[in-house]
Amino acid sequence: MHSIDDVYLSSLLVAKAAQAHERGIKLDINAQGIIPNNAYAATDIVTVVGNLLDNALDASVGTQEATVWVEVTAADDELIIAVADSGPGIEPEFFDQLMRFGVSTKDGSGHRGLGLALVQQAVLRLGGTMNVDNDAGAIFTVTLPLKNNN
């Protein structure tokens, strides 16, 4: 049986897969485990996963591989969300600046620099952490304590 949080997450991932397809991007999804009912507000999970995926899709469009990977794992006492892209990556010294409202690596075409700041707010409010690595693109990893509020 799936929790309501799993249903929201699944719906979001289906919608993002459709967006990726429309933009010519391959989206690889791997989800494991079940998020306990009411572990988080659905808006928090949508904020974290949705904004990370939006940024990854934007970074990957037009790249040679044009691929985004998302892995969501609910196990033991943690929820781990990892999103990677085939884009150019993020300079490590710029990462802290990206967590502030209004800061963006994107050109001025309507991007306001809100997504990562909102993700960071949600992660901190939920007692989690967010890290970024650069390999062949940016890899964001969010780790949240998994609360069982059934």
Side-chain angles (χ1 to χ4, degrees):
M1 181 169 173
H2 296 285
S3 73
I4 191 71
D5 293 326
D6 287 333
V7 173
Y8 282 118
L9 181 58
S10 296
S11 299
L12 174 67
L13 292 174
V14 167
K16 294 300 178 186
Q19 285 179 356
H21 179 74
E22 289 171 3
R23 296 176 75 181
I25 301 168
K26 180 181 177 190
L27 177 58
D28 287 331
I29 300 170
N30 183 9
Q32 301 174 18
I34 295 174
I35 302 170
N37 278 322
N38 303 315
Y40 310 103
T43 54
D44 287 329
I45 297 302
V46 168
T47 295
V48 171
V49 176
N51 280 298
L52 291 178
L53 279 173
D54 284 344
N55 287 343
L57 292 170
D58 288 347
S60 296
V61 72
T63 63
Q64 185 173 356
E65 295 295 320
T67 304
V68 171
W69 304 264
V70 60
E71 184 170 305
V72 180
T73 306
D76 299 322
D77 58 353
E78 291 183 325
L79 177 65
I80 300 171
I81 301 162
V83 177
D85 63 61
S86 61
I90 296 173
E91 297 297 324
E93 62 273 8
F94 194 57
F95 179 70
D96 288 338
Q97 294 175 27
L98 285 175
M99 298 304 111
R100 290 186 293 201
F101 285 101
V103 177
S104 177
T105 60
K106 300 170 190 168
D107 65 21
S109 61
H111 299 288
R112 299 177 307 222
L114 299 175
L116 285 177
L118 292 171
V119 170
Q120 180 75 348
Q121 273 188 345
V123 168
L124 292 175
R125 184 174 55 256
L126 297 170
T129 60
M130 179 169 55
N131 298 305
V132 66
D133 292 307
N134 287 303
D135 189 11
I139 305 167
F140 283 84
T141 305
V142 171
T143 304
L144 300 173
L146 195 55
K147 299 172 236 156
N148 191 345
N149 295 327
N150 287 331

